[in-house]
């Protein structure tokens, strides 16, 4: 009836259901999160900053770079993502928003752009990478269809502060524009309209 006190678990480190909160095990093996009440005092003193109600939330916040091991090490059952695709900027491939073997790349961060297909991800964000689709574990199809739906106009790529062309292929193509992108007839109009302060806005003008 008084397990938490007996086990030395501070009541301040308990969730609303009375279960011990999860904390990053930085002072242990540093591979996962635990909820054994062994967190450092500074975490107990500020649980809203350091502790989490679920294993998944703790792993996502503190071990996002090693999500698979974090979840597996703590014996969690299943963590799922959207199964959409996002760019992995370290390896220059597109990976899937899921936990498991390749092509899963772990759960996407909130800021990662998500795409329905590996082709769209590669065409939009990694169009300069040779064989991006096959390197990402997909089948190199759909590029022709994507090219057929592009306008050849220009849009802003805020990741690089440049204007790129709505087409699939090598520069100045930046991949198929998203439906929300504002399109301009010329690279000059794009630069003047959206990136007027950037001196090198139009390096993709060719």
């Amino acid at each position: 009836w008084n397990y938490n006190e007996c086990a030395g678990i501070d009541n301040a480190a308990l969730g609303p259901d009375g279960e011990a909160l999860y904390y990053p095990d930085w002072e242990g093996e540093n591979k996962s999160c635990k909820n054994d009440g062994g967190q450092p005092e500074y975490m107990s003193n500020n649980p809203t900053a350091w502790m989490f109600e679920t294993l998944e939330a703790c792993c996502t916040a503190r071990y996002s770079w090693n999500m698979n091991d974090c979840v597996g090490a703590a014996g969690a059952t299943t963590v799922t993502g959207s199964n959409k695709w996002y760019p992995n900027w370290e390896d220059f491939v597109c990976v899937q928003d899921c936990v498991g073997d390749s092509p899963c790349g772990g759960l996407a961060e909130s800021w990662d752009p998500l795409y329905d297909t590996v082709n769209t991800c590669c065409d939009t964000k990694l169009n300069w990478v040779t064989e991006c689709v096959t390197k990402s574990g997909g089948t190199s199809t759909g590029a022709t269809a994507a090219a057929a739906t592009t306008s050849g106009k220009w849009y802003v790529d805020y990741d690089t502060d440049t204007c790129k062309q709505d087409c699939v292929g090598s520069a100045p193509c930046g991949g198929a524009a998203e439906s929300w992108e504002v399109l301009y007839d010329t690279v000059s109009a794009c630069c003047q309209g959206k990136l007027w302060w950037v001196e090198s806005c139009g390096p993709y003008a060719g």
Side-chain angles (χ1 to χ4, degrees):
W1 56 271
N2 196 22
Y3 172 81
N4 291 329
E5 183 176 348
C6 178
I9 298 175
D10 189 342
N11 286 333
L14 298 179
D17 58 358
E19 295 294 326
L21 297 175
Y22 286 88
Y23 67 94
D25 185 29
W26 289 330
E27 297 183 5
E29 294 183 354
N30 195 24
K31 292 182 178 180
S32 186
C33 296
K34 293 183 176 181
N35 67 337
D36 58 2
Q39 67 276 355
E41 183 177 358
Y42 71 89
M43 292 186 183
S44 294
N45 292 339
N46 191 8
T48 57
W50 299 108
M51 306 187 74
F52 305 85
E53 293 183 23
T54 66
L55 171 66
E56 291 78 10
C58 182
C59 286
T60 298
R62 303 303 181 190
Y63 292 97
S64 60
W65 50 271
N66 198 25
M67 188 72 181
N68 295 346
D69 287 346
C70 179
V71 173
T77 53
T78 303
V79 179
T80 60
S82 66
N83 287 323
K84 294 188 176 183
W85 297 80
Y86 65 95
N88 177 332
W89 297 110
E90 292 183 2
D91 299 326
F92 294 107
V93 294
C94 284
V95 293
Q96 212 163 5
D97 177 26
C98 55
V99 176
D101 296 332
S102 179
C104 290
L107 300 181
E109 299 287 356
S110 59
W111 56 81
D112 285 319
L114 295 175
Y115 300 91
D116 290 331
T117 67
V118 62
N119 296 75
T120 305
C121 177
C122 284
D123 289 343
T124 304
K125 290 299 184 182
L126 297 169
N127 64 298
W128 71 91
V129 177
T130 304
E131 299 181 355
C132 169
V133 173
T134 54
K135 289 178 180 178
S136 302
T139 303
S140 186
T141 60
T144 302
T149 60
T150 55
S151 66
K153 294 187 177 183
W154 297 81
Y155 64 93
V156 177
D157 179 355
Y158 288 105
D159 289 338
T160 58
D161 283 341
T162 58
C163 283
K164 294 183 179 178
Q165 200 165 17
D166 177 24
C167 56
V168 176
S170 57
C173 293
E178 300 289 351
S179 58
W180 61 80
E181 303 280 9
V182 177
L183 298 176
Y184 296 87
D185 291 332
T186 66
V187 63
S188 297
C190 175
C191 287
Q192 292 173 6
K194 292 292 186 180
L195 297 171
W196 50 267
W197 71 94
V198 179
E199 293 183 2
S200 57
C201 166
Y204 294 102

